[in-house]
Amino acid sequence: MWLIVLVCCLWMAPSLGQLPPEIEKCKAGDSICIAETVTRILRLYPNGLSSIGLDALDSIGFENVVVSRMEPDGHSTLDLSFHNLTVIGFADSTVTEAKGFEADLPRVLELIGWIPLLKLDGFYEMRGSLLTMPIHGKGQAQVEIKECRVRCKVRVLEDLRGDGKVYAGIAKVKCLLDVQGMHMNFDNLFNNPDMSEAMNVVANTKWLEIWHTLRRGITSAVDRLVESILKRVANKLPYDDFYRD
Ligand SMILES: *[C@@H]1O[C@H](CO)[C@@H](O)[C@H](O)[C@H]1NC(C)=O
């Protein structure tokens, strides 16, 4: 029994925390190469890559996502949350710039890129007012976000481990989002199919205003998502092992 465990661990050890051979490493500081490599990893492994701690990005499930919460000061007039939510499209992200990826672990990394189409599907609950009209509803919703431009700043701390290697401790992620279009369909608004359809038509013609209302909540959900993805990878792949010698 112990022999099996031992053999199995020895066999698995070299594949832990390493980039697979088909991913060519970049020189530290080569921001173009690094942006291309990150994009290549996303394209080749939409279902994730456990050897570097990368989770599946093709379809991501969430529970209890608060997108907007009414505030007494009137800054927000809407309660909107999803009991459950599936997001499809992150795996098609293209990273266009990767700043700060130097040989010595920097304090801030920056990733800039875009996602052609994000599809959100889940069970929503909404109450309050939207576009100055009262609104309430509960049911399935689909939201499509077109050409989402993303810029994320990642604060990192050095994590020197017992194996003598430096890992990047991900302290904080803050992203900025900008979108070129949004299409929504909230089923069962006002518990009335005709009013629901009419409201969705109005919402879609005024999508930019709605985006401004929801942007803060969506951005903070993206911050948490990017943070959890990076944390898992940074926890598994030593910082130096990301680069060519
Ligand atoms: C989402 O939540 C709703 C309401 O609680 C439930 O009916 C539905 O089955 C859930 N969907 C998934 C995919 O879990």
Side-chain angles (χ1 to χ4, degrees):
M1 176 62 192
W2 286 111
L3 186 64
I4 294 173
V5 172
L6 185 66
V7 167
C8 143
C9 292
L10 284 177
W11 173 72
M12 275 171 63
S15 71
L16 288 176
Q18 281 186 10
L19 283 169
E22 59 272 31
I23 296 294
E24 228 176 286
K25 291 184 181 180
C26 301
K27 271 197 190 145
D30 183 345
S31 100
I32 293 173
C33 175
I34 291 162
E36 284 172 0
T37 297
V38 175
T39 303
R40 198 166 137 75
I41 292 172
L42 298 178
R43 284 298 173 289
L44 285 176
Y45 308 102
N47 302 317
L49 179 60
S50 60
S51 68
I52 61 164
L54 182 68
D55 284 331
L57 294 181
D58 54 345
S59 170
I60 305 179
F62 298 89
E63 276 180 16
N64 301 320
V65 182
V66 176
V67 177
S68 174
R69 184 161 275 157
M70 250 186 258
E71 286 168 17
D73 62 5
H75 191 84
S76 163
T77 57
L78 185 71
D79 273 338
L80 170 60
S81 60
F82 285 87
H83 294 196
N84 50 38
L85 185 64
T86 304
V87 181
I88 293 178
F90 276 109
D92 300 325
S93 307
T94 295
V95 176
T96 52
E97 280 181 73
K99 296 183 185 172
F101 288 77
E102 303 294 337
D104 291 328
L105 187 78
R107 284 156 53 151
V108 178
L109 297 170
E110 194 171 352
L111 288 166
I112 301 167
W114 65 287
I115 309 161
L117 183 63
L118 280 176
K119 290 185 178 181
L120 289 64
D121 194 330
F123 192 92
Y124 81 95
E125 193 164 347
M126 176 151 54
R127 195 168 59 87
S129 77
L130 186 64
L131 302 170
T132 72
M133 290 181 278
I135 193 167
H136 64 91
K138 192 172 171 177
Q140 281 300 127
Q142 296 82 34
V143 179
E144 289 190 359
I145 297 176
K146 285 164 206 149
E147 259 195 68
C148 184
R149 299 189 177 271
V150 189
R151 173 185 291 261
C152 295
K153 282 199 173 169
V154 184
R155 202 162 281 287
V156 291
L157 297 170
E158 186 178 287
D159 174 11
L160 180 62
R161 299 227 181 126
D163 60 6
K165 297 196 176 217
V166 171
Y167 289 73
I170 306 295
K172 195 181 166 109
V173 175
K174 198 77 208 65
C175 301
L176 290 173
L177 304 186
D178 192 23
V179 305
Q180 299 302 307
M182 184 162 82
H183 187 271
M184 296 151 274
N185 181 56
F186 289 92
D187 283 353
N188 198 38
L189 285 170
F190 312 105
N191 219 343
N192 175 315
D194 293 337
M195 279 170 77
S196 187
E197 197 181 324
M199 185 68 197
N200 275 297
V201 170
V202 174
N204 282 313
T205 54
K206 302 214 170 186
W207 69 267
L208 191 56
E209 271 176 66
I210 294 179
W211 166 250
H212 285 140
T213 306
L214 305 184
R215 168 190 232 150
R216 206 150 54 109
I218 294 179
T219 302
S220 83
V222 169
D223 289 348
R224 274 176 288 141
L225 173 68
V226 173
E227 184 172 322
S228 85
I229 293 166
L230 292 179
K231 265 192 173 151
R232 285 179 50 100
V233 174
N235 185 39
K236 188 133 189 186
L237 185 66
Y239 184 71
D240 293 336
D241 292 357
F242 183 58
Y243 303 116
R244 192 161 11 128
D245 292 329

